[in-house]
Amino acid sequence: MKRQQSILSFLQKRPMVPENEKPVGGGAPKGHTVAVSEEKLQPRTYTASNRPGFLSSAAEFSDEVRGTDTPPEKEQRSFFPLKSVAGGENDEANRSGQSMFSSIKHKFMKPNKVEKPCDRNMSDGRHDTIQLTCNNYSYSNGRDKGSPVPVFPRMQIVTDVEETVCKGNKGHPPVIESGGDITGPETPGTQPLVPRLKRVQVDSCNMGFTATAATNLSTGSSKRVKFSHDLPAENKKDDMASEMASKFDWLHPSKVKDANGRRPDDPLYDKRTLYIPPDVLKKMTASQKQYWSVKSQYMDVLIFFKVGKFYELYELDAEIGHKELDWKMTMSGVGKCRQVGITENAIDDAIEKLLARRYKVGRVEQLETSEQAKSRGASSVIQRKLVQVLTPSTLIHGNIGPQAVHLLSLKEGTSSVADGTTAYGFAFVDCASLQFWIGSVTDDASCAALGALLMQVSPAEVIYESQGLSKETQKALNKYSLTGSVVSQLTPAQPFTDFVDPSEVRNVFQLNGYFKGSSNVWERALDEVDHQDIALCALGGLTSHLSRLKLDDALRNGSIFPYEVYRGCLRMDGQTLVNLEIFSNNADGGASGTLYKYLDNCVTLSGKGLLRRWLCHPLKDEEEINRRLNVVEELMANVEIMALIAQYLKKLPHLERFFGQIKATLKSSTLLLLPLIGSKILKQRVKAFGSLVKGLRLGMELLMLLQKEDNVFSLLLKLFTLPMLSGTDGLDKFLTQFEAAVDSDFPNYQAHELKDSDAEILSILIELFMERANEWSQVIFALNCIDVLRSFATTANLSCMPMSRPVIVPRSNSSGFSQRSTGPTLHLKGLWHPYALGESGGTPVPNDLCLGDDAFGYSPRTLLLTGPNMGGKSTLLRATCLAVILAQLGCYVPCEKCVLSPVDIIFTRLGATDRIMTGESTFLIECTETASVLQNASQDSLVILDELGRGTSTFDGYAIAYAVFRHLVDKVNCRLLFATHYHPLTKEFATHPHVTLQHMACSFKPISNNSPSANQQLLFLFRLAAGACPESYGMQVALMAGIPKKVVEAATKAAEVMKTKIGVNFQSSERRSEFSTLHEDWLKTVLTVSKTDDGHFEDGDEDDVFDTLFCLWHELKCSNQML
């Protein structure tokens, strides 16, 4: 009896159902909901069009929202009333089986009131139905009863139950599926989701709950009653989906809109925002506004909402938390919504996992405690604010990895040149080191320069203007976002809000004080950019994005520099970087088997980053190359110095990142005031500052030791500048003061116990330290250079085969007819591929390559290469390119001798591939890459073409290969390696003075003593030999690949027939073996001169004729000497 009185006192009064909503026959309106909270048990009635909602995103929101309602500090014990609905013809039968609890249920109901409906769809009106619902979805991590719950009242035992009266045979209520098209972040979480539920809501309309089952409710000892054995599988699935479906119709994919009311099919739809109807806003509490005012502007971000000692995700975010982290989903929180959560002690690990899966994560923190909120009034709500948004492309702390993480902003414009080229403006940032770059590049339809930019920067995320990119640019983005060392996430931005006019960008910079802490003023960096307007638009898009991510401090204190994709260096477009496997291999996209991996013997993470930047921009100036080579040679001769350098560098932290983190904290103390996250951030700053000071001390000691080595240090000073290290005004004395401060105030800076005065002391130290920021940057850059040069020397010393210092010769443009005039040259003796092992793991076979003039006379600049399949042609082509890159990096080359004049551009056409997703065939890709070669190659270029024309018919392919080859030989006359299986080309250019014929040698090994030649085994020698190869031996390679012998024999017979028939078409090529295209040009010149009548020369014509004949005589003489 006392228990019943306590329950009655808890329930108190229950309001009547309004007269206008009373159902016919004593029922309740369909869709009515009963919600039980810890404050009072009060029924809430909603219609289908009047559900709880949360905030119109059309209004402007503030990050900080104050309210007037504060839930109680502790949750009261909740109770779930068991209800019954009378009806039907079998009342007596049902009453005979009533439980003990149903016999006293009249004590909980007032007379003359309408009974509450049961949450069931009744197939007919003949049965009494009883539902028992327990909170099987209690909070997964538990909850501290003493912790404040300032936003969403939640029940430990009872969940809100939506009760619906089913009339007749109207079937199931509508179910909103939670999978499929989820409007939210465009991340892996938007894939179809099947929630893993652990509770089944029973549908009484289809199960026919009998009186016997009702009796079992009173006798069972468990609080749960399982009906899964009575339910059909299909009904259980529908019930599960209905239970956990969103209750907010404006979140449903069929009704979702952005803040401007646009549907997803609108080209200007902004998926980052959400429209919430105005009528929903009126019914929201202040705590609900706090959440949805932020979420409606950050639909692409998972918002962790701080509630007491927990962080919670709601609705669409809860689905992702449930899917990715296996958190239990409950139905509570904001207006009985779906939610998951984690304790504040485990939030950092959860965020790290989500970031690793490429989600963006935001944190809404409490700005005050519950006591502070109550001091402002009994009904006040704890103030909250979005203080941090973390993304995979803007990481500052945590496990970032050795390579820099870049966020790139791209703006496409139209170049002022009337040749149809396109100009791109771009800006990108490394948030960890707080460095920004801005620039522009002009490109053609092949998007080769854009590909070079994407491969060099390797951005983790690319921001571009929605509806502002051409189809060719979109194809290039899709292609290079997958082929780089990092898979790039593509993020469209709004054209009128994120990418604005240059004048507006300038006003925003001045108003917010962006880049005030930069050593290089942003206007000065912009002056070095060609297309300033579109570059400034790209920078504006980048700053708008970072400001949205709460990174204004980084924008104010960041350093900005100009960036040129081809800044006075050896040019390599994006496809060349892919073909040569500079940063990622073509097998699995990893770093193994790449030039970067081969050269990476760096000790520090900062040095690894500089090595990548050097690989993107090999040098072209002879003096600069030799300066690096001088240091490498000196280090190779002094092994003790190399060991000393490595000993110090191993102890260095990532100085660039720590320096950037400290620089970002200048005049930034807002986050330190927050209760929990503030102390964590302060600890991070103490650790970063202490690590930076201690690391710079080690670096200073190394530089001061190298000062004593005059030979090495004098050579190093030609590569970088250093401030004064010692003396009264030197950095050594200045750094000693900060060391003493760290030892005094933060002796255990790695795990410092915070004091009240730490924030102020650290702020003063950082401000004083940054007074000499430029000098610290010079020291860090010098240490990085030393690390990379030591890596070059280590690579050469550890080589198992000969390495030589390249001889860089200037290219002479001398005119006249002197046979000794030099042009582009490339001579490699004993060349071997640096990281391609020979067969069975043996050593590579070295080869000699000679292109262009040398000290011993003239050599053709073109090599026409033939040989069997798998004979090593592609390996030789790649080894040649890598040797040039290594030489112009200032590194030793894998050969016995290397002499070359600097190369301005490397072009490669290697391999066969197609791009199905972009509608590009293999042959189209071949022609696109070849077009870039023909349009941009110069006499100083190095061109590599491998099997051009194989993607189409034999005759079309041969014709294109012939035309391209002749154009490059006669018109461009660059250093060219042309590998082909079109053997008639060797006849066409057999006697051409600018072409040399060579092939990859092979031999045959008899399978048995009496085996015919057709059954002999083909052996690859991988050795470059003179002359053309008679055939490609495709049948032998087919046998090696496993094609059945009968098929190969049939192919051999067919090949003989085809050679007989088609050979007639190539008879002209056979006859040209003694009369090349160059001879044809000479004959045309003689015929033109002979048509001039004697004695009728006009003024100057006679001299022109004699000059022409003299030039022809000189060419004939030189040709005879070479032959």
Side-chain angles (χ1 to χ4, degrees):
M1 193 64 185
K2 291 182 180 180
R3 175 176 174 79
Q4 296 176 5
Q5 291 177 354
S6 64
I7 295 174
L8 286 174
S9 63
F10 172 79
L11 295 176
Q12 297 179 355
K13 288 187 177 182
R14 304 173 68 181
M16 297 177 58
V17 177
E19 290 291 329
N20 57 358
E21 295 185 10
K22 289 184 179 181
V24 179
K30 184 177 180 179
H32 282 224
T33 302
V34 179
V36 184
S37 70
E38 66 271 40
E39 297 179 297
K40 57 184 178 180
L41 186 65
Q42 178 178 353
R44 299 177 184 175
T45 305
Y46 302 109
T47 62
S49 61
N50 188 24
R51 293 189 175 184
F54 301 97
L55 188 59
S56 173
S57 59
E60 293 293 333
F61 300 124
S62 171
D63 293 333
E64 181 178 345
V65 181
R66 298 187 180 185
T68 57
D69 57 331
T70 300
E73 290 295 310
K74 296 184 178 180
E75 298 179 355
Q76 301 180 14
R77 182 184 179 206
S78 303
F79 177 78
F80 182 78
L82 188 65
K83 299 170 286 296
S84 174
V85 178
E89 299 175 357
N90 299 326
D91 288 348
E92 294 297 326
N94 289 330
R95 275 193 290 270
S96 64
Q98 287 179 346
S99 64
M100 296 175 58
F101 181 74
S102 62
S103 65
I104 62 171
K105 64 183 175 59
H106 64 278
K107 297 180 180 295
F108 302 94
M109 305 176 65
K110 290 183 177 296
N112 300 327
K113 301 294 184 204
V114 180
E115 284 193 49
K116 296 186 180 295
C118 174
D119 188 14
R120 289 282 173 262
N121 282 336
M122 299 172 62
S123 58
D124 53 52
R126 296 179 298 173
H127 299 286
D128 287 343
T129 57
I130 300 176
Q131 179 191 9
L132 178 62
T133 307
C134 298
N135 185 14
N136 294 345
Y137 293 87
S138 59
Y139 203 71
S140 61
N141 292 286
R143 181 176 295 281
D144 186 358
K145 293 184 179 181
S147 63
V149 188
V151 180
F152 315 121
R154 203 164 22 259
M155 296 155 286
Q156 294 297 319
I157 304 227
V158 182
T159 58
D160 297 342
V161 180
E162 183 177 10
E163 301 180 351
T164 306
V165 172
C166 307
K167 299 181 179 180
N169 290 316
K170 293 187 179 181
H172 297 284
V175 176
I176 300 176
E177 297 291 343
S178 61
D181 188 10
I182 301 174
T183 304
E186 230 183 75
T187 54
T190 58
Q191 298 175 357
L193 173 64
V194 180
R196 289 166 286 186
L197 303 176
K198 301 174 184 177
R199 181 175 63 130
V200 178
Q201 180 182 4
V202 183
D203 192 341
S204 63
C205 299
N206 295 318
M207 80 173 202
F209 188 31
T210 60
T212 304
T215 305
N216 293 336
L217 291 176
S218 61
T219 59
S221 59
S222 173
K223 293 184 179 181
R224 301 180 183 179
V225 179
K226 298 183 179 179
F227 304 103
S228 58
H229 61 282
D230 295 326
L231 278 174
E234 182 178 356
N235 292 344
K236 290 194 290 183
K237 179 179 179 181
D238 292 342
D239 289 341
M240 288 157 54
S242 176
E243 173 68 17
M244 301 309 290
S246 174
K247 307 303 180 188
F248 311 132
D249 55 353
W250 36 271
L251 279 177
H252 194 270
S254 63
K255 297 183 180 181
V256 70
K257 300 177 182 178
D258 68 2
N260 294 314
R262 302 187 186 99
R263 291 281 297 138
D265 55 357
D266 193 307
L268 297 179
Y269 173 74
D270 186 4
K271 63 185 67 177
R272 302 174 302 175
T273 62
L274 174 69
Y275 172 78
I276 305 177
D279 59 331
V280 175
L281 174 64
K282 299 178 182 179
K283 302 175 183 178
M284 290 176 57
T285 64
S287 56
Q288 294 167 351
K289 291 180 182 179
Q290 285 183 327
Y291 175 76
W292 287 105
S293 63
V294 175
K295 183 60 184 175
S296 61
Q297 300 299 313
Y298 289 85
M299 290 300 294
D300 58 331
V301 179
L302 300 180
I303 300 297
F304 278 96
F305 197 78
K306 184 69 179 296
V307 181
K309 294 185 178 181
F310 291 85
Y311 287 90
E312 299 177 350
L313 297 173
Y314 303 108
E315 284 299 325
L316 301 176
D317 294 353
E319 290 184 4
I320 297 174
H322 172 63
K323 174 187 176 182
E324 298 290 350
L325 303 177
D326 198 24
W327 290 348
K328 182 186 293 184
M329 188 183 297
T330 65
M331 294 291 291
S332 56
V334 182
K336 188 180 180 290
C337 69
R338 299 168 295 173
Q339 75 161 36
V340 296
I342 194 71
T343 61
E344 61 185 9
N345 295 329
I347 184 63
D348 293 331
D349 292 337
I351 290 178
E352 186 175 346
K353 291 178 182 178
L354 291 170
L355 289 173
R357 298 173 190 181
R358 306 189 68 80
Y359 289 97
K360 301 176 182 178
V361 182
R363 294 174 67 164
V364 176
E365 295 287 345
Q366 297 180 170
L367 303 182
E368 58 184 356
T369 62
S370 57
E371 290 76 13
Q372 292 172 334
K374 284 188 174 182
S375 65
R376 294 187 285 105
S379 60
S380 297
V381 168
I382 295 177
Q383 301 178 39
R384 293 178 175 84
K385 182 179 181 181
L386 179 67
V387 298
Q388 193 178 52
V389 179
L390 302 175
T391 71
S393 58
T394 57
L395 291 177
I396 298 177
H397 305 282
N399 187 17
I400 302 177
Q403 298 301 331
V405 180
H406 291 136
L407 169 65
L408 173 68
S409 174
L410 185 67
K411 168 73 175 180
E412 181 177 357
T414 303
S415 177
S416 59
V417 185
D419 55 2
T421 57
T422 303
Y424 296 96
F426 61 86
F428 61 95
V429 60
D430 176 10
C431 289
S433 62
L434 210 64
Q435 293 178 330
F436 291 77
W437 290 269
I438 182 174
S440 66
V441 65
T442 303
D443 208 350
D444 54 18
S446 66
C447 295
L450 176 61
L453 170 67
L454 295 173
M455 290 297 295
Q456 291 175 10
V457 176
S458 189
E461 183 178 3
V462 179
I463 308 167
Y464 62 93
E465 186 177 12
S466 178
Q467 307 297 319
L469 298 182
S470 62
K471 291 183 179 180
E472 290 75 16
T473 303
Q474 292 177 357
K475 289 180 181 180
L477 280 178
N478 292 329
K479 170 188 173 182
Y480 290 105
S481 65
L482 299 176
T483 56
S485 55
V486 177
V487 178
S488 302
Q489 181 179 352
L490 305 180
T491 304
Q494 294 302 301
F496 304 111
T497 57
D498 298 313
F499 288 84
V500 297
D501 294 334
S503 58
E504 189 171 345
V505 175
R506 296 177 186 270
N507 294 333
V508 171
F509 285 6
Q510 294 177 359
L511 181 64
N512 295 290
Y514 290 163
F515 305 110
K516 290 294 184 182
S518 174
S519 57
N520 189 26
V521 183
W522 69 268
E523 291 95 342
R524 190 180 306 165
L526 187 64
D527 290 339
E528 300 184 32
V529 178
D530 293 334
H531 305 277
Q532 296 186 5
D533 286 346
I534 57 174
L536 193 56
C537 286
L539 182 60
L542 179 63
T543 55
S544 175
H545 183 79
L546 293 176
S547 178
R548 180 173 180 263
L549 300 182
K550 306 300 178 184
L551 292 174
D552 291 278
D553 292 333
L555 291 170
R556 296 187 186 96
N557 299 312
S559 299
I560 186 167
F561 309 97
Y563 187 89
E564 296 182 21
V565 178
Y566 304 129
R567 61 168 191 269
C569 65
L570 167 61
R571 290 176 52 179
M572 295 180 289
D573 60 24
Q575 191 60 49
T576 297
L577 293 172
V578 173
N579 289 339
L580 297 180
E581 299 177 303
I582 303 298
F583 298 114
S584 57
N585 63 54
N586 296 329
D588 57 4
S592 60
T594 63
L595 183 59
Y596 173 79
K597 182 68 174 179
Y598 172 72
L599 291 175
D600 183 19
N601 287 296
C602 296
V603 178
T604 66
L605 296 180
S606 302
K608 294 177 185 291
L610 182 61
L611 172 61
R612 182 184 176 89
R613 294 196 292 271
W614 281 12
L615 271 173
C616 293
H617 302 93
L619 302 174
K620 195 168 62 174
D621 183 74
E622 175 194 354
E623 293 184 2
E624 293 181 4
I625 297 173
N626 284 318
R627 287 172 189 161
R628 289 186 185 176
L629 287 170
N630 292 337
V631 177
V632 173
E633 185 177 22
E634 188 68 25
L635 290 175
M636 292 176 62
N638 294 273
V639 182
E640 298 81 6
I641 296 179
M642 289 180 59
L644 178 67
I645 293 174
Q647 181 181 354
Y648 275 88
L649 293 179
K650 286 179 180 178
K651 301 177 183 179
L652 291 183
H654 200 314
L655 294 178
E656 276 189 353
R657 288 179 183 170
F658 281 130
F659 186 73
Q661 293 173 18
I662 293 303
K663 192 175 182 182
T665 62
L666 278 175
K667 301 177 181 178
S668 172
S669 58
T670 305
L671 293 178
L672 300 180
L673 303 177
L674 300 178
L676 179 65
I677 193 174
S679 59
K680 177 188 172 184
I681 292 175
L682 182 57
K683 286 184 177 181
Q684 289 177 345
R685 293 182 181 180
V686 170
K687 180 180 178 180
F689 184 72
S691 301
L692 178 61
V693 171
K694 298 297 183 180
L696 284 174
R697 167 51 62 194
L698 291 172
M700 291 283 292
E701 291 178 358
L702 174 60
L703 293 175
M704 295 175 73
L705 286 174
L706 290 177
Q707 271 186 327
K708 302 176 182 179
E709 302 291 337
D710 295 335
N711 294 337
V712 175
F713 198 72
S714 60
L715 295 175
L716 287 172
L717 291 180
K718 295 180 181 179
L719 298 176
F720 50 75
T721 58
L722 278 176
M724 185 181 297
L725 300 180
S726 57
T728 56
D729 196 33
L731 282 181
D732 179 62
K733 185 176 180 180
F734 187 69
L735 183 62
T736 303
Q737 301 174 7
F738 291 96
E739 280 189 288
V742 170
D743 294 337
S744 174
D745 297 311
F746 313 109
N748 186 20
Y749 61 88
Q750 296 284 356
H752 179 67
E753 295 294 332
L754 296 179
K755 302 185 294 292
D756 295 338
S757 60
D758 286 344
E760 183 179 358
I761 293 174
L762 183 62
S763 177
I764 295 173
L765 289 175
I766 290 176
E767 189 171 351
L768 294 173
F769 184 84
M770 285 300 167
E771 289 180 356
R772 306 183 74 167
N774 293 338
E775 298 175 57
W776 297 128
S777 298
Q778 291 176 350
V779 170
I780 294 174
F781 178 73
L783 294 172
N784 295 341
C785 286
I786 294 172
D787 193 10
V788 176
L789 294 170
R790 190 206 67 85
S791 178
F792 288 171
T794 302
T795 301
N797 281 338
L798 294 178
S799 175
C800 61
M801 293 188 67
M803 300 282 289
S804 65
R805 172 173 175 163
V807 178
I808 311 297
V809 297
R811 179 178 176 272
S812 174
N813 293 318
S814 60
S815 59
F817 303 104
S818 172
Q819 189 176 346
R820 302 295 297 170
S821 62
T822 59
T825 181
L826 176 61
H827 292 265
L828 300 166
K829 182 180 179 181
L831 172 67
W832 53 280
H833 195 288
Y835 44 86
L837 296 178
E839 188 176 1
S840 303
T843 57
V845 177
N847 287 291
D848 298 342
L849 187 67
C850 185
L851 301 176
D853 301 340
D854 63 1
F856 303 101
Y858 175 84
S859 294
R861 298 176 189 168
T862 299
L863 170 62
L864 184 57
L865 182 63
T866 54
N869 294 284
M870 298 175 58
K873 298 187 299 296
S874 297
T875 302
L876 178 66
L877 300 184
R878 287 179 168 88
T880 304
C881 293
L882 295 177
V884 172
I885 295 172
L886 289 170
Q888 298 191 209
L889 275 173
C891 186
Y892 273 46
V893 179
C895 62
E896 297 176 9
K897 182 180 180 181
C898 173
V899 179
L900 79 158
S901 59
V903 176
D904 62 348
I905 312 174
I906 292 180
F907 293 100
T908 59
R909 159 84 282 283
L910 298 171
T913 182
D914 56 15
R915 302 174 195 140
I916 299 177
M917 301 305 296
T918 58
E920 296 175 315
S921 66
T922 302
F923 186 63
L924 177 62
I925 295 174
E926 284 186 25
C927 291
T928 302
E929 296 175 359
T930 304
S932 179
V933 176
L934 298 177
Q935 294 169 5
N936 300 294
S938 70
Q939 196 175 34
D940 291 322
S941 301
L942 174 63
V943 178
I944 306 296
L945 295 177
D946 188 13
E947 299 183 25
L948 177 64
R950 60 182 171 182
T952 184
S953 67
T954 301
F955 290 101
D956 289 349
Y958 173 78
I960 291 175
Y962 167 81
V964 170
F965 185 74
R966 180 171 181 177
H967 176 85
L968 291 173
V969 170
D970 293 343
K971 303 300 182 183
V972 181
N973 197 17
C974 60
R975 285 163 284 189
L976 170 64
L977 281 78
F978 194 98
T980 185
H981 288 289
Y982 292 126
H983 295 280
L985 283 177
T986 63
K987 304 296 184 179
E988 288 276 359
F989 297 92
T991 58
H992 199 294
H994 296 165
V995 179
T996 181
L997 302 181
Q998 291 183 288
H999 70 279
M1000 302 305 295
C1002 62
S1003 63
F1004 288 91
K1005 177 182 178 181
I1007 299 177
S1008 61
N1009 295 332
N1010 298 324
S1011 62
S1013 59
N1015 294 329
Q1016 292 180 342
Q1017 182 181 0
L1018 180 65
L1019 298 179
F1020 303 109
L1021 303 180
F1022 305 107
R1023 187 180 69 250
L1024 192 62
C1029 189
E1031 55 180 296
S1032 296
Y1033 306 107
M1035 301 305 170
Q1036 285 77 6
V1037 176
L1039 283 173
M1040 295 171 60
I1043 293 180
K1045 186 176 181 180
K1046 293 183 179 180
V1047 176
V1048 175
E1049 290 176 352
T1052 303
K1053 295 179 182 179
E1056 294 297 331
V1057 176
M1058 293 177 65
K1059 286 179 182 179
T1060 303
K1061 292 182 178 180
I1062 300 177
V1064 179
N1065 296 288
F1066 293 99
Q1067 287 181 357
S1068 60
S1069 299
E1070 299 290 340
R1071 290 194 296 268
R1072 293 182 67 103
S1073 60
E1074 301 297 333
F1075 189 80
S1076 69
T1077 57
L1078 187 61
H1079 296 104
E1080 180 183 339
D1081 291 338
W1082 292 344
L1083 180 59
K1084 290 179 180 178
T1085 303
V1086 173
L1087 291 175
T1088 302
V1089 173
S1090 65
K1091 293 178 181 179
T1092 305
D1093 295 334
D1094 293 338
H1096 292 86
F1097 292 115
E1098 297 181 0
D1099 293 341
D1101 288 348
E1102 185 175 0
D1103 294 336
D1104 291 339
V1105 170
F1106 283 115
D1107 289 343
T1108 301
L1109 292 175
F1110 184 80
C1111 292
L1112 180 59
W1113 168 82
H1114 178 74
E1115 290 186 5
L1116 288 169
K1117 181 181 178 181
C1118 294
S1119 177
N1120 290 331
Q1121 290 179 353
M1122 288 182 289
L1123 296 175

